[in-house]
Amino acid sequence: MTAPPGDRRRVAVIGAGWAGCTAALELARRGLAVTVYEQARMPGGRARRVLLDGVPVDNGQHLLLGAYGECLRAIAQVHGADAGAPALLRLPLALQPWGRQPGAVRLTAWRAPAPWHLAGALVGARGLRLGARYALAASLLRLRRDPAAIPATATVADWFRDLPRAAFDGIVAPLCVAALNTLPEEASARVFAKVLDTALGGSRADSDFLVPTTDLSSLLPEPALRQVAAQGGELRLGAAAQVTASAADGVTVEVEGHSEIFSDVVVAVGPHQLAQALGARPADLPGCRAALAMAGAFAYEPIVTVYLGFRAPVAMTAPVMRLDDRPGQWLFDRHGGSSTTWPAGTATMLAVVISAHGAHQRMEREALAVAVEAQLRRLEPGLPAVTWARVITERRATYACTPGLARPAPGRLAPGIHLAGDYTDAEFPATLEAAVRSGRAAAVGVLEARAAADVRSA
Ligand SMILES: Cc1cc2nc3c(=O)[nH]c(=O)nc-3n(C[C@H](O)[C@H](O)[C@H](O)COP(=O)(O)OP(=O)(O)OC[C@H]3O[C@@H](n4cnc5c(N)ncnc54)[C@H](O)[C@@H]3O)c2cc1C
């Protein structure tokens, strides 16, 4: 069912990433007729399934945290009552070095109630002297007790400068790069403190690592959009949309020269795509102008995922393990894949992740795959033969999460125009949780605007 043009219940969502899919689902569930425009041929945006030589993998290996409450709720909504559980593998927070890494930091959160799960992790940690463990615990407590004491201009490296090197390099730096996709010398200490507080300051479950066991499109975007369609909504793929006007009778959206009017539009595109999604006239409205100015000042950080197939099983004591950053940072066992879809002769599929900028960016894809394979063989000389290797680089994976970065808030930008996207969430850095939270916030803004309009017209 598609409501007729001019129907004031019609809402458009531009962008079918996790933010747009969440907004569309929330609005469709509240009875609004939703049209989703996505310029790509498939939904999911920066967290989606891709086919490489016909092999389904993700555009980048993702890891979720137990503290991603809104994200987990959305996944549960679309997967039904017993949801989320089969789609996500839950593991205790752990830094476990893979292969031969003598002296590397090794710790695992205990299966004990908070805060003993972390206390236990520190007590049992290897590769850290007692003084380093004590200093780390003291800095984390200081962060929790007085987050306001962190200067807005402080980087993670500034804030932890007195921490013994082993604790900084072995724990703080890898967590910072993984969570903020920004190097500690450039990353905002305040945002990092917030992530640590959310993940480590709550229950034990909040600190858990969650690894998707399905591909990312199946985890949320596709089932969410199926539910939107079941509620009478519409998905238009391959449709690059632009908001061209905002007036009392609605917001105009143009796709390839064809215009439609909606009561409200949620613009859920990436920050570098915002200027394209807002035409010249809407872009000049004060709220839009401010958001465009902020997004226009962003710098971006890449994330590289190297997929490697192996002829025989590869021993891993956990599905997520630490590498030595030369050049791979984290190693994932691809539970999400199924051997039936892997290249012939492949018994194991691994993903190696390299976040943020670095020397690896100067390497061609093939050379990087070779370098990562060599790294794995250096750490574990008995590795079986490689059957398949592919590299995916997302050059603008996230905005660079630097100190004092001004970011727009999710929600209303101008009459009928609402903003969503991972870059708008005030609490989380650019993550799936930020995207889902922003999608919900934008949907709430639309519903409030509709309710206010209903009151006016009553
Ligand atoms: C490689 C990689 C690894 C990552 N790892 C993690 C991780 O481990 N954990 C984590 O939580 N997060 C991770 N992230 C971040 C996470 O993927 C993003 O924060 C999230 O997917 C952003 O969702 P979004 O909906 O805000 O934006 P996007 O996903 O960018 O969605 C925007 C959508 O809008 C569409 N669009 C743009 N312009 C138009 C237009 N004019 N008309 C129609 N459609 C348009 C785009 O095609 C896109 O589909 C990672 C990101 C990448 C790239």
Side-chain angles (χ1 to χ4, degrees):
M1 176 206 88
T2 306
D7 184 329
R8 46 183 286 286
R9 294 177 307 116
R10 292 186 81 218
V11 177
V13 174
I14 302 182
W18 284 50
C21 288
T22 305
L25 184 60
E26 290 289 310
L27 293 167
R29 289 183 155 213
R30 298 298 194 289
L32 300 185
V34 182
T35 303
V36 181
Y37 295 99
E38 169 54 54
Q39 68 180 9
R41 293 273 154 212
M42 113 166 313
R46 277 172 281 155
R48 68 182 192 288
R49 178 179 63 248
V50 292
L51 285 179
L52 298 181
D53 309 332
V55 178
V57 290
D58 290 318
N59 69 312
Q61 175 66 50
H62 279 56
L63 178 72
L64 290 77
L65 292 177
Y68 284 11
E70 292 292 309
C71 205
L72 297 183
R73 191 155 75 87
I75 291 170
Q77 265 183 352
V78 297
H79 285 272
D82 60 343
L88 293 166
L89 183 67
R90 189 175 273 273
L91 311 162
L93 167 83
L95 290 170
Q96 293 199 35
W98 182 79
R100 296 176 191 175
Q101 297 190 55
V105 173
R106 173 191 303 268
L107 56 80
T108 303
W110 283 7
R111 287 281 174 209
W116 302 111
H117 65 309
L118 295 179
L122 278 180
V123 168
R126 305 261 181 84
L128 281 185
R129 289 177 191 280
L130 198 60
R133 290 183 223 183
Y134 179 78
L136 182 64
S139 348
L140 293 176
L141 282 175
R142 194 158 59 104
L143 272 186
R144 274 217 77 197
R145 241 182 256 128
D146 196 7
I150 306 171
T153 53
T155 65
V156 170
D158 291 339
W159 184 254
F160 287 96
R161 67 180 170 275
D162 296 331
L163 202 62
R165 203 71 227 171
F168 185 82
D169 291 345
I171 297 182
V172 171
L175 291 183
C176 169
V177 173
L180 272 57
N181 193 28
T182 308
L183 300 177
E185 299 71 28
E186 298 163 19
S188 161
R190 278 197 175 171
V191 179
F192 186 55
K194 181 70 203 162
V195 174
L196 288 179
D197 190 40
T198 314
L200 306 183
S203 69
R204 179 181 54 73
D206 286 344
S207 70
D208 283 345
F209 286 168
L210 304 177
V211 188
T213 58
T214 164
D215 68 70
L216 292 168
S217 298
S218 310
L219 192 55
L220 182 86
E222 288 177 345
L225 292 172
R226 275 198 296 276
Q227 290 195 6
V228 170
Q231 303 279 342
E234 208 188 334
L235 171 62
R236 300 203 195 153
L237 292 174
Q242 189 177 57
V243 180
T244 53
S246 153
D249 61 341
V251 182
T252 308
V253 172
E254 201 171 296
V255 180
E256 290 171 357
H258 176 74
S259 299
E260 286 188 56
I261 296 181
F262 296 88
S263 66
D264 293 88
V265 176
V266 175
V267 182
V269 303
H272 64 288
Q273 299 162 322
L274 187 60
Q276 191 59 41
L278 292 172
R281 277 162 55 206
D284 210 27
L285 298 169
C288 296
R289 223 175 25 227
L292 280 166
M294 286 185 246
F298 287 3
Y300 294 89
E301 289 288 347
I303 299 181
V304 177
T305 305
V306 181
Y307 290 104
L308 291 170
F310 290 90
R311 193 166 298 290
V314 173
M316 286 181 71
T317 51
V320 183
M321 299 189 76
R322 274 286 291 149
L323 297 174
D324 61 1
D325 300 338
R326 295 184 291 144
Q329 298 164 350
W330 295 86
L331 180 66
F332 289 76
D333 191 358
R334 280 293 292 175
H335 280 253
S338 128
S339 48
T340 56
T341 61
W342 292 344
T346 301
T348 303
M349 185 72 82
L350 302 182
V352 172
V353 174
I354 310 174
S355 296
H357 66 267
H360 64 279
Q361 283 175 276
R362 292 193 287 276
M363 300 172 90
E364 296 293 334
R365 276 195 214 145
E366 290 73 16
L368 186 55
V370 168
V372 166
E373 185 190 338
Q375 175 190 24
L376 298 187
R377 290 194 186 285
R378 173 170 52 77
L379 297 175
E380 192 60 71
L383 267 187
V386 164
T387 52
W388 190 73
R390 289 294 177 274
V391 176
I392 303 188
T393 302
E394 288 277 6
R395 288 186 201 292
R396 286 199 190 95
T398 67
Y399 63 85
C401 191
T402 49
L405 185 68
R407 294 187 286 112
R412 187 179 178 279
L413 283 184
I417 305 178
H418 308 259
L419 188 66
D422 63 348
Y423 64 101
T424 64
D425 189 76
E427 303 261 305
F428 283 81
T431 50
L432 298 174
E433 176 69 357
V436 167
R437 283 164 52 103
S438 76
R440 279 226 163 93
V444 167
V446 171
L447 294 167
E448 285 173 356
R450 292 301 84 226
D454 285 346
V455 169
R456 280 198 302 275
S457 63

